[in-house]
C-alpha cells in the first residue's frame, strides 16, 4: 500500500545552519506530495506541496522537489531560524486520504 | 478567518464510557476528514465525508467508532466503550472537493482514557 518513510529525529541545529529532512514514498500511481508542519501548541499546517514529478514546492524558505526516479521528496532550507522549531511531516495524497510519515522534530538553538 | 474548530480540546474519560467529539469545518468546504494521531506518530486516516455522505472508512475505524455529518456541515465522532488504546489526538480536517485539494486541519481533541 501507499506509505511514507521519513528521517527520524529529533534534529537539533544551530541558527543559520542548513536543514535536510529526508522523505521517501511508496505509491501506486502518481500521488501529490506534501510537507506539513506542526508548531508547538498549534494544529497541522500545510508547508508546501508538489503535484507531479520534478515539481518543486517552496514556502517560507523551505523547498522540496518531487523526484520520481528516487521516490523522494526531501525537505531543505538553507538557513534555519529559531522560529522554525516544530515537527515536520512528509505526506502523500491517495485521494481522498493523506498518508503521513511519523514526523521529524526540529529544534533550532540560537 | 474562521478555520476548522474542534470541541472539546481535551477529554478525560474512564474506560468503558462513551465520548463524542465535534468538528466544525470551514463553511464552504464540502469534504470533511477524521484522523487519529498517537504520540510520536503521524496522523492516521479514519474516515471522510463528502457533504453528508460517508464515503470511506479505514480499517482502523472499529465498530465502536461512528461518525456522522447529518446536514453536511459539522461532524461528530463517537467512541463507544472506550479503551485505553483509544487515547490519542483526534484531528479533523476539511477541504474543497478535488484530488490533491489542500486540507485544513483543526487543533484536535486530545482524548485520555484512564
Amino acid at each position: 500500500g501507499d506509505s511514507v518513510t521519513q528521517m527520524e529525529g529529533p534534529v537539533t541545529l544551530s541558527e543559520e545552519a542548513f536543514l535536510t529532512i529526508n522523505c521517501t514514498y511508496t505509491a501506486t500511481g502518481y500521488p501529490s506530495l506534501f510537507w506539513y508542519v506542526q508548531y508547538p501548541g498549534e494544529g497541522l499546517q500545510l508547508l508546501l506541496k508538489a503535484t507531479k514529478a520534478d515539481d518543486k514546492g517552496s514556502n517560507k524558505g523551505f523547498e522540496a522537489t518531487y523526484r520520481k526516479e528516487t521516490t523522494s521528496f526531501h525537505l531543505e532550507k538553507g538557513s534555519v531560524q529559531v522560529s522554525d522549531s516544530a515537527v515536520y511531516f512528509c505526506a502523500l495524497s491517495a485521494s481522498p486520504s493523506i498518508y503521513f510519515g511519523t514526523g521529524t522534530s526540529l529544534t533550532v538553538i540560537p | 478567518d474562521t478555520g476548522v474548530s474542534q470541541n472539546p480540546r481535551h477529554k478525560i474519560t474512564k474506560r468503558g464510557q462513551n465520548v463524542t467529539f465535534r468538528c466544525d469545518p470551514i463553511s464552504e468546504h464540502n469534504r470533511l476528514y477524521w484522523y487519529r494521531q498517537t504520540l510520536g506518530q503521524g496522523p492516521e486516516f479514519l474516515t471522510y465525508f463528502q457533504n453528508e455522505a460517508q464515503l470511506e472508512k479505514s480499517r482502523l475505524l472499529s465498530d465502536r467508532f461512528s461518525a456522522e455529518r447529518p446536514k453536511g456541515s459539522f461532524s461528530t465522532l463517537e467512541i463507544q466503550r472506550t479503551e485505553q488504546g483509544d487515547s490519542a489526538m483526534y484531528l479533523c480536517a476539511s477541504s474543497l472537493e478535488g484530488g490533491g485539494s489542500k486540507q485544513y486541519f483543526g487543533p484536535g481533541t486530545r482524548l485520555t482514557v484512564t
Side-chain angles (χ1 to χ4, degrees):
Chain A
D2 295 350
S3 66
V4 169
T5 302
Q6 69 179 99
M7 167 179 155
E8 292 189 12
V11 174
T12 302
L13 294 174
S14 297
E15 204 164 22
E16 299 184 2
F18 184 85
L19 169 71
T20 300
I21 301 178
N22 290 337
C23 172
T24 57
Y25 68 90
T26 302
T28 54
Y30 304 97
S32 296
L33 300 175
F34 308 86
W35 278 99
Y36 278 81
V37 59
Q38 191 167 32
Y39 297 104
E42 298 185 16
L44 277 167
Q45 301 175 27
L46 179 64
L47 180 60
L48 54 85
K49 73 181 230 184
T51 57
K52 60 182 188 296
D54 300 326
D55 265 4
K56 178 185 282 188
S58 60
N59 186 25
K60 299 181 181 180
F62 291 89
E63 293 183 338
T65 301
Y66 190 142
R67 301 280 188 205
K68 184 181 169 191
E69 63 277 12
T70 54
T71 61
S72 65
F73 192 56
H74 304 322
L75 182 68
E76 296 181 337
K77 185 174 186 182
S79 176
V80 293
Q81 306 300 312
V82 172
S83 58
D84 294 327
S85 298
V87 181
Y88 293 82
F89 294 92
C90 184
L92 71 81
S93 171
S95 189
S97 59
I98 296 180
Y99 291 94
F100 288 86
T102 54
T104 301
S105 175
L106 170 67
T107 301
V108 181
I109 54 177
Chain B
D1 177 17
T2 54
V4 178
S5 61
Q6 293 186 245
N7 288 288
R9 294 292 305 275
H10 304 274
K11 178 71 177 179
I12 300 173
T13 191
K14 292 184 178 179
R15 189 174 52 189
Q17 298 295 305
N18 299 343
V19 294
T20 300
F21 311 140
R22 176 177 170 128
C23 171
D24 287 89
I26 294 172
S27 58
E28 61 267 28
H29 287 179
N30 56 355
R31 285 192 172 182
L32 186 148
Y33 313 78
W34 285 99
Y35 292 84
R36 181 175 68 188
Q37 184 177 16
T38 53
L39 198 62
Q41 299 297 315
E44 297 171 296
F45 171 77
L46 293 178
T47 187
Y48 100 100
F49 293 83
Q50 182 155 313
N51 300 312
E52 65 276 8
Q54 187 174 17
L55 296 186
E56 187 169 329
K57 292 196 289 187
S58 161
R59 290 191 301 272
L60 294 174
L61 210 67
S62 78
D63 57 7
R64 295 185 297 107
F65 288 68
S66 61
E68 294 182 345
R69 194 183 183 196
K71 298 181 181 178
S73 56
F74 73 92
S75 175
T76 57
L77 177 68
E78 181 183 15
I79 309 174
Q80 296 182 326
R81 305 181 302 282
T82 52
E83 301 173 356
Q84 286 189 321
D86 297 332
S87 296
M89 178 76 85
Y90 290 85
L91 299 172
C92 176
S94 70
S95 76
L96 294 169
E97 185 174 348
S101 290
K102 178 178 175 180
Q103 293 187 18
Y104 293 79
F105 282 81
T109 295
R110 180 168 296 284
L111 172 66
T112 302
V113 181
T114 61

